[in-house]
Amino acid sequence: MSDDNAERIARDGVFDAGRTVQRRDRGGLGTLREPAREIPIFATTDVLVVGGGPAGTTAAIAAARLGADVILAERYNHLGGLSTGGLVIWIDRMSGWDGDHLIRGLAEELIDRLPRDAIRGPSRSLWGSREEDAVAAWAPRASAHHGVVTWAPMIDPEWLKLVSLDMVTDAGVELLLHSWVVAPLVEDGRATGVILESKQGRVAVRARVVIDTTGDGDMFAAAGEDAEGDIDTDTIHHCANTASLLAGVDSDRWLAFRTGDPAAFKEFMRRGRESVRHFILPMTGWRDDVIVFMGPRFAGFDVLKIDDLTALELLSRQSVVDLLNFYRANAPGFEKAWIMLTGPQLGARHSRRLVGVKRMTGPETKSGQILDDEIGVSPSLGPNLPAVSVPYGALLPRRTDNLLVAGRHISTDAQTHSFMREIPQCWLTGHAAGVAAALSVQAGVAPRNLPVADLQAKLAAQGAYLRTAATT
């Protein structure tokens, strides 16, 4: 299947269902006043990381490995966020188009710690290959793009949960699961901790530096920082859905049909679009009897609203039943398929983006410029574009001191967000935020006043790939 066809199919998998959601008018019911109360201080720490997704996981590990006292608060019962609970088991490209391993450091260590049978991707010798047979073998498994084999493996989400927990606890991080952080503590323009809710009730955690890795920018928004929410409607990156795993699939038979019989596959696609309201194609998983539906992807929803979140869950789960029934009856290899898991976390691709000290923009990211405050390097979107320099300033709020931001809500435009929201890029920015937080605590300065050369040197020492003079 050509890259053009793959992109067309991806766009075809977007459904504007948000117009149909029943958003109830909840106004006119009045308000009530919550009585003032004393909130007990539950803990104090050097660095508090809010959200245990990809960015929060690497931030906590990085800070703790530099000797900081770290608390990581996570609302679910696991770490990894969308890469585990969201079933985004395809880890998008970590290599450049020439095969260089760009996203390294803690991201690389997380991947390397997975058992051999918990990951599937091309061998290191093939990264960057344009050899026809290699591309043909890996393109159907989403590891070859634009005629180039890349490092974009499929992983077992349960093993990534375990590896993430092991690395966090081994680093000495204090982990608070089942804890929903509801508000930042801000005093005199400085973040000083958070208020969280749990089965124990409402408590406070004091911290010298807070890292917002919530994915939705909950902390920086509540602290009064500005956010952007514009989207590129021509892409999938504003869509939301709950993903699903199907087991009992013969992936070899499915791929042989998909790639080996173009006429039959074209007819299959026609019948699918006619028969199934929200028809999409699956991706093969880390083993031959598992596939993942990363959608259907639904547009027009606001993932910050309760009614929309509820409607998305209902739509996603009904859609996977419809897909299962059609694939069982029509797709070779799916005759014995069954629903293994629907994601415990909804896959929100976009909500808020920080308006930070620096803003990553499309023209800048396509320029090839190596920024003075580079804290990592992202692969570009295509072989004709240079690798992308990720600036420290995109992690820094404009006003609130002692607050850092990492993950999909860093400071970017809508175009750049399309790749900076991916799992590897979240690992990258989380790693940088964790190192910056620990160094800020040690130096007794706000993160915005931290010497960038010190940050770059420590990142390089922890295995991150940088191109700055400070690391050569």
Side-chain angles (χ1 to χ4, degrees), residues 65 100 122 129 192 209-210 240 286 346 351 353 366 400 423 449 471:
R65 286 186 177 180
D100 287 347
S129 173
T192 59
V209 175
V210 176
W286 71 96
L346 182 138
S351 53
R353 305 189 311 276
K366 294 173 183 176
T400 309
I423 304 299
N449 297 325
T471 64

Side-chain angles (χ1 to χ4, degrees), residues 87 156-158 244-248 286-287 289-291 337-342:
L87 302 183
D156 180 340
E158 293 304 316
S244 301
L245 294 180
L246 266 58
W286 71 96
R287 47 185 288 165
D289 58 351
V290 174
I291 64 95
W338 53 279
I339 299 173
M340 176 181 175
L341 181 65
T342 56

Side-chain angles (χ1 to χ4, degrees), residues 288-301:
D288 284 332
D289 58 351
V290 174
I291 64 95
V292 60
F293 281 112
M294 294 278 194
R297 306 176 183 95
F298 297 112
F301 288 91

Side-chain angles (χ1 to χ4, degrees), residues 295-313:
R297 306 176 183 95
F298 297 112
F301 288 91
D302 184 344
V303 297
L304 302 177
K305 295 187 181 299
I306 297 171
D307 288 336
D308 292 48
L309 292 169
T310 302
L312 279 165
E313 297 287 9

Side-chain angles (χ1 to χ4, degrees), residues 46-47 49 55-68 70 105-106 209 211 213 374-375 392 395-396 404-406 427-443 445-447 450-464 466:
D46 292 333
V47 177
V49 183
T57 298
T58 54
I61 295 166
R65 286 186 177 180
L66 286 174
V70 180
L106 294 179
V209 175
I211 305 178
T213 49
E374 179 177 280
I375 45 88
Y392 180 47
L395 281 58
L396 292 169
L404 286 156
V405 174
W427 280 330
L428 182 160
T429 56
H431 188 176
V435 170
L439 293 180
S440 296
V441 168
Q442 292 167 3
V445 300
L450 182 70
V452 173
D454 294 348
L455 170 59
Q456 292 165 335
K458 289 296 184 183
L459 277 168
Q462 288 192 353
L466 299 170

Side-chain angles (χ1 to χ4, degrees), residues 138-397:
W138 285 106
R141 295 185 179 276
S143 285
H145 309 274
H146 300 291
V148 181
V149 179
T150 64
W151 183 225
M154 285 284 181
I155 57 92
D156 180 340
E158 293 304 316
W159 269 108
L160 185 55
K161 289 178 185 176
L162 293 168
V163 168
S164 300
L165 284 168
D166 285 345
M167 288 179 62
V168 163
T169 54
D170 288 349
V173 174
E174 181 179 355
L175 188 60
L176 303 180
L177 297 176
H178 301 285
S179 300
W180 192 306
V181 177
V182 295
L185 298 174
V186 181
E187 301 171 7
D188 298 324
R190 296 179 296 109
T192 59
V194 302
I195 296 172
L196 62 82
E197 292 273 9
S198 74
K199 291 292 186 179
Q200 288 183 236
R202 179 171 288 203
V203 297
V205 176
R206 289 283 194 181
R208 297 171 68 182
V209 175
V210 176
I211 305 178
D212 183 347
T213 49
T214 58
D216 294 315
D218 295 335
M219 292 300 98
F220 76 70
E225 292 294 331
D226 294 330
E228 293 182 308
D230 58 310
I231 59 172
D232 181 352
T233 57
D234 291 332
T235 73
I236 68 170
H237 303 290
H238 62 286
C239 297
N241 63 274
T242 293
S244 301
L245 294 180
L246 266 58
V249 178
D250 185 338
S251 292
D252 287 337
R253 284 186 60 215
W254 160 247
L255 290 178
F257 166 70
R258 179 174 170 177
T259 61
D261 193 340
F265 182 68
K266 182 178 179 180
E267 173 61 16
F268 169 82
M269 293 293 292
R270 184 192 66 77
R271 283 186 284 116
R273 290 177 178 133
E274 287 184 354
S275 305
V276 181
R277 183 182 178 192
H278 302 125
F279 181 74
I280 61 168
L281 289 172
M283 300 173 74
T284 57
W286 71 96
R287 47 185 288 165
D288 284 332
D289 58 351
V290 174
I291 64 95
V292 60
F293 281 112
M294 294 278 194
R297 306 176 183 95
F298 297 112
F301 288 91
D302 184 344
V303 297
L304 302 177
K305 295 187 181 299
I306 297 171
D307 288 336
D308 292 48
L309 292 169
T310 302
L312 279 165
E313 297 287 9
L314 297 175
L315 267 173
S316 295
R317 284 172 170 78
Q318 182 56 56
S319 295
V320 76
V321 173
D322 296 341
L323 289 166
L324 173 68
N325 292 335
F326 179 81
Y327 273 80
R328 274 179 172 170
N330 296 279
F334 279 79
E335 294 84 356
K336 297 181 180 180
W338 53 279
I339 299 173
M340 176 181 175
L341 181 65
T342 56
Q345 288 184 240
L346 182 138
R349 294 171 177 82
H350 178 270
S351 53
R352 303 183 185 98
R353 305 189 311 276
L354 174 72
V355 177
V357 170
K358 283 192 175 180
R359 181 172 178 263
M360 297 181 69
T361 65
E364 181 185 78
T365 59
K366 294 173 183 176
S367 71
Q369 179 183 3
I370 299 175
L371 302 174
D372 291 341
D373 62 341
E374 179 177 280
I375 45 88
V377 181
S378 170
S380 65
L381 289 174
N384 297 326
L385 296 172
V388 176
S389 189
V390 181
Y392 180 47
L395 281 58
L396 292 169

Side-chain angles (χ1 to χ4, degrees), residues 91-134:
I91 307 302
D92 203 353
R93 293 171 299 108
M94 300 174 72
S95 62
W97 297 104
D98 57 1
D100 287 347
H101 196 173
L102 299 183
I103 298 184
R104 305 193 64 174
L106 294 179
E108 181 179 13
E109 185 176 342
L110 281 161
I111 292 291
D112 286 349
R113 287 199 182 198
L114 292 171
R116 185 168 297 181
D117 61 355
I119 186 169
R120 185 164 197 166
S123 65
R124 179 67 180 86
S125 62
L126 289 177
W127 302 354
S129 173
R130 289 170 168 78
E131 199 275 324
E132 185 175 341
D133 289 343

